[in-house]
Amino acid sequence: MRKSGILGLLGLAIGLTTALPASAGVDQCGNIRFEGLSNCEVRVTAECTAGCSEFGIYKTACATKLVQVCGNQCTLSAEATCTDSCTVQCKSDCDNGVNVICSHNCFEECTTRRDTECAAKSDPAQCAATWDANCDNECDAKCVTVDGGCYQHCIECCGGSCTADANMDCQYSCQDVEFEQCEQEFRANCEASCTGDGALFCGGEYIISGSQLPACLQALAAQGIEVKAEASVSIGPDGINGNIAAGICSYSPGDKASVVGPFALFAAATAGFLSRRRKRDSRSSR
């Protein structure tokens, strides 16, 4: 079994027990939005290969990648009619005591028409993925830092959702040209990783694979993910080593819990492994 810089012993039953930020992506995981995703698993060997063979599981990953690619073409500004209508409603919410937070409200506002609009498309799932990625991208751009009270959050929130709305048709048309090739590339990466590092799937969607997995899992842990050690699997900078049948994770909203528990377990598992390794090395050197 290949060893490359042991970072921990994880059985990879990964419990996303707390809510991740409502803003888009975890950068180390391909900038994928994890809010609402469930049943995440790290797959290897036959199970991984079977999952990789299904086209359509790459829509979230492709839309998240292609929204950046198409950003150079899709640069329309928000329409005044959209922002005016949005801010009037949003300010009314503020006046009525509704806690408007840009990063939370922008995506919700942006995706209100998604299901209705995408139902008429030839591939509603691809449309929905593109819609979400476009909303995430624009909302993140507006909501990174908002200095001010509820009304200022309203302005930025509506700016993000309305800019996304103005560029939605452009994003869909642009991404549609590249989508098939993107899916094929992700499929090739996924299948190649199955005999080595494995791939991460959530809700049946491909997230990331190969040598990018360790950084992704660590980033998720930093977001409040409980990592349970249920098998001896080494994770190094080049990926995952070991034989994993399957690791399950589930996501549920809630208050952000302390990550002391997960990291204590992570550290204990690592310390135990290193202690046993030092003892073996000591005996072998005698």
Side-chain angles (χ1 to χ4, degrees):
M1 181 173 67
R2 176 169 51 91
K3 300 291 185 183
S4 52
I6 304 302
L7 298 181
L9 295 176
L10 306 178
L12 297 184
I14 304 171
L16 287 134
T17 58
T18 58
L20 295 176
S23 60
V26 177
D27 290 342
Q28 297 89 337
C29 301
N31 211 32
I32 296 291
R33 163 185 284 267
F34 279 79
E35 186 182 32
L37 291 177
S38 61
N39 298 321
C40 298
E41 355 178 61
V42 173
R43 300 177 183 174
V44 296
T45 61
E47 184 180 1
C48 176
T49 303
C52 293
S53 66
E54 302 171 16
F55 272 110
I57 65 172
Y58 308 103
K59 293 189 186 301
T60 297
C62 280
T64 304
K65 173 184 177 180
L66 293 176
V67 74
Q68 300 296 332
V69 174
C70 294
N72 292 330
Q73 300 179 34
C74 305
T75 57
L76 295 176
S77 300
E79 295 182 4
T81 53
C82 177
T83 54
D84 290 346
S85 175
C86 176
T87 52
V88 167
Q89 177 61 47
C90 191
K91 289 181 179 180
S92 175
D93 289 340
C94 287
D95 291 338
N96 289 318
V98 177
N99 187 25
V100 175
I101 300 174
C102 187
S103 61
H104 293 273
N105 294 70
C106 183
F107 184 79
E108 182 178 353
E109 169 72 25
C110 189
T111 54
T112 301
R113 297 187 298 110
R114 177 194 58 207
D115 294 345
T116 300
E117 295 291 332
C118 288
K121 298 292 186 181
S122 58
D123 190 337
Q126 178 180 319
C127 173
T130 295
W131 197 292
D132 286 354
N134 185 34
C135 288
D136 266 337
N137 186 56
E138 296 297 343
C139 288
D140 264 15
K142 294 293 185 179
C143 300
V144 174
T145 56
V146 178
D147 295 325
C150 189
Y151 295 142
Q152 187 63 36
H153 278 266
C154 275
I155 294 170
E156 300 302 331
C157 167
C158 292
S161 62
C162 288
T163 300
D165 185 71
N167 287 285
M168 201 67 73
D169 289 340
C170 175
Q171 279 284 345
Y172 182 80
S173 298
C174 175
Q175 290 191 32
D176 190 50
V177 174
E178 304 290 338
F179 227 89
E180 183 177 356
Q181 179 63 33
C182 178
E183 286 186 303
Q184 290 175 349
E185 290 173 357
F186 273 127
R187 179 177 179 174
N189 292 337
C190 183
E191 289 180 339
S193 74
C194 288
T195 56
D197 299 311
L200 175 64
F201 298 82
C202 291
E205 296 281 353
Y206 168 88
I207 304 299
I208 205 164
S209 63
S211 61
Q212 295 173 293
L213 263 176
C216 175
L217 296 178
Q218 289 178 42
L220 294 180
Q223 296 279 4
I225 297 169
E226 179 183 356
V227 181
K228 299 178 181 177
E230 293 186 351
S232 294
V233 178
S234 62
I235 298 182
D238 297 325
I240 295 178
N241 304 310
N243 183 17
I244 314 170
I248 308 297
C249 72
S250 61
Y251 171 86
S252 61
D255 295 330
K256 184 160 183 171
S258 169
V259 297
V260 172
F263 281 112
L265 180 59
F266 177 89
T270 305
F273 173 82
L274 294 176
S275 176
R276 291 192 297 273
R277 184 175 183 179
R278 282 194 295 268
K279 289 179 180 178
R280 288 198 303 269
D281 292 343
S282 176
R283 287 195 298 267
S284 63
S285 63
R286 293 175 183 172

